[in-house]
Amino acid sequence: AASQDRLARTARMARVGGWDIDLVHRRLHWSEETYRIHEADPGWEPSFDDALRFYPPEARSVVVETLRDAIAGRASFDFEVPFETARGERRWVRASGEPRFDLGGKVVAFHGMLMDVSEQKEAELAKDRLLSTVSHELRTPLTSVFGALRLLQSGKLGELDARGRQMVEVAIRNAQRLSRLVDDLLDIGRTGAGQLAIRPERADLAELVREAGSSVAEAARSVGVRLTLELPDAPLWATADPTRIVQVLMNLLGNAIKFSPEGSEVVAVVEPRGEMATVTVIDEGPGLPAEAIPRVFDRFLQLPAGRAQGGFGLGLPISKAIVEAHGGRIGIESEEGHGARAWFELPLAGA
């Protein structure tokens, strides 16, 4: 009894509750802390449908689709969503669960934990707002710097000698790098606030891969990496925002090139799989250690020393946000010393 009491106090201090879902009877069992997080009467016995009503519509669909995918894939899940307590207070929670199976291997239940992450989420949102404000403040002077450098480069203010032209070209490259950082900071701020603009249309995914490949081809040549595109003969129509998906493709291709040794090959494969269109980028680089893979989409993540450096750790989390905003999925598979496979899938467009 004393041990159980200590565990209950620990769960309360950590604001972590437990739960079980009986899929056969659509029933829930909540721990004491889960009731406290919901600000619900501990004597109440909620059904699955009752629990869903705590989530706003946009979060409710995430919960339902995540459970559906976990059941179909016989897999665990982990997600963060907003919800409202029984007293109407808005909070953020993280839920993770593992399946239980019957003798035939069918998923019949899930058990897991529910954590109140409201304070962490507020801190993240505050940081995102700060990044967005700083980025906007940088945008105007950066545009002026670009304009002045371009004017110098044009010779309209007088011809520069070879040394002067070289210095202006270096300054322009660095200004472009800073501009990309500002764009990434703005995007990461928008993803945190749920404001990332997506304008999906019927687009040929193969053509988008061809466009992104053309954009990174020179970078591949400059480091002695072969870039191969394996595209279908016919268009592969997906529901996509072309600009955003090219952004994702350039991130994945750019990473593959950056981490590939001279003389190796980067391959991009485009193919349909069921109701989805899939792109896979394969490289022959050093690969990733197993412990790094779950964190590759974390913001500002830098790979361990000894691998190619550079960048700000924003490309992959932005790519993840873009793909998920399209209703797609993205992932990376790797074994240390054996390269990596980065992939994403988007819904095929209707005929």
Side-chain angles (χ1 to χ4, degrees):
S3 176
Q4 289 293 327
D5 185 54
R6 283 195 296 272
L7 287 173
R9 288 202 305 271
T10 300
R12 187 163 57 251
M13 287 188 290
R15 297 192 67 80
V16 177
W19 53 264
D20 284 281
I21 299 178
D22 179 342
L23 296 173
V24 177
H25 302 98
R26 294 178 68 83
R27 291 176 183 167
L28 279 181
H29 173 72
W30 285 353
S31 72
E32 180 181 341
E33 184 58 24
T34 300
Y35 276 104
R36 187 174 287 107
I37 291 172
H38 283 79
E39 296 186 325
D41 183 352
W44 178 51
E45 296 185 3
S47 67
F48 178 74
D49 292 328
D50 290 331
L52 280 179
R53 294 189 186 99
F54 284 91
Y55 299 93
E58 67 275 11
R60 197 175 305 158
S61 62
V62 171
V63 175
V64 172
E65 290 171 13
T66 299
L67 275 174
R68 186 182 297 130
D69 289 345
I71 293 169
R74 305 172 74 249
S76 303
F77 62 82
D78 192 323
F79 60 84
E80 291 183 4
V81 287
F83 89 130
E84 289 187 4
T85 69
R87 298 178 184 175
E89 184 178 343
R90 183 88 167 191
R91 289 182 179 169
W92 278 85
V93 291
R94 175 186 174 189
S96 61
E98 295 183 347
R100 294 203 301 269
F101 308 96
D102 62 15
L103 294 177
K106 180 181 178 182
V107 178
V108 294
F110 281 93
H111 69 276
M113 70 89 183
L114 186 78
M115 178 185 296
D116 185 340
V117 294
S118 302
E119 291 183 5
Q120 299 94 308
K121 201 69 181 179
E122 279 302 314
E124 287 179 13
L125 292 174
K127 183 171 67 176
D128 289 340
R129 287 193 291 270
L130 176 61
L131 289 175
S132 181
T133 300
V134 170
S135 302
H136 278 294
E137 291 298 320
L138 286 172
R139 170 64 64 205
T140 299
L142 185 56
T143 300
S144 297
V145 170
F146 254 130
L149 289 171
R150 292 296 188 192
L151 195 58
L152 282 171
Q153 189 182 45
S154 71
K156 292 180 180 178
L157 298 180
E159 288 297 326
L160 299 172
D161 60 18
R163 176 63 175 161
R165 288 194 298 271
Q166 183 183 22
M167 292 180 67
V168 168
E169 288 170 3
V170 170
I172 288 174
R173 284 198 299 271
N174 286 329
Q176 288 171 334
R177 187 165 181 262
L178 181 57
S179 180
R180 287 193 295 271
L181 172 59
V182 169
D183 289 341
D184 283 350
L185 289 172
L186 287 170
D187 276 345
I188 207 70
R190 292 180 186 119
T191 62
Q195 297 173 347
L196 189 66
I198 299 293
R199 299 176 180 83
E201 60 185 65
R202 193 166 181 264
D204 179 7
L205 191 55
E207 182 58 34
L208 299 183
V209 172
R210 189 178 288 110
E211 178 182 339
S214 175
S215 297
V216 300
E218 180 54 39
R221 281 193 295 270
S222 70
V223 293
V225 173
R226 297 188 307 279
L227 179 61
T228 302
L229 308 182
E230 296 185 2
L231 308 178
D233 294 331
L236 185 60
W237 298 105
T239 302
D241 179 329
T243 300
R244 288 297 190 181
I245 294 305
V246 168
Q247 182 181 354
V248 172
L249 289 163
M250 290 183 64
N251 275 327
L252 298 187
L253 289 169
N255 280 345
I257 293 166
K258 181 169 66 174
F259 293 107
S260 293
E262 185 177 358
S264 66
E265 183 178 28
V266 169
V267 181
V269 182
V270 183
E271 58 188 341
R273 290 184 185 173
E275 297 180 351
M276 308 295 281
T278 303
V279 177
T280 306
V281 176
I282 307 162
D283 68 58
E284 299 172 351
L288 292 166
E291 64 271 16
I293 292 176
R295 300 178 52 239
V296 292
F297 293 104
D298 290 355
R299 293 186 291 179
F300 302 105
L301 176 71
Q302 294 291 326
L303 292 175
R307 292 178 171 81
Q309 299 297 300
F312 301 93
L314 296 175
L316 286 178
I318 291 171
S319 296
K320 184 174 188 288
I322 291 171
V323 170
E324 291 181 347
H326 281 78
R329 297 190 307 152
I330 187 170
I332 291 182
E333 302 161 6
S334 181
E335 182 180 347
E336 193 165 15
H338 297 280
R341 297 169 61 91
W343 59 269
F344 69 92
E345 60 181 19
L346 302 174
L348 287 169

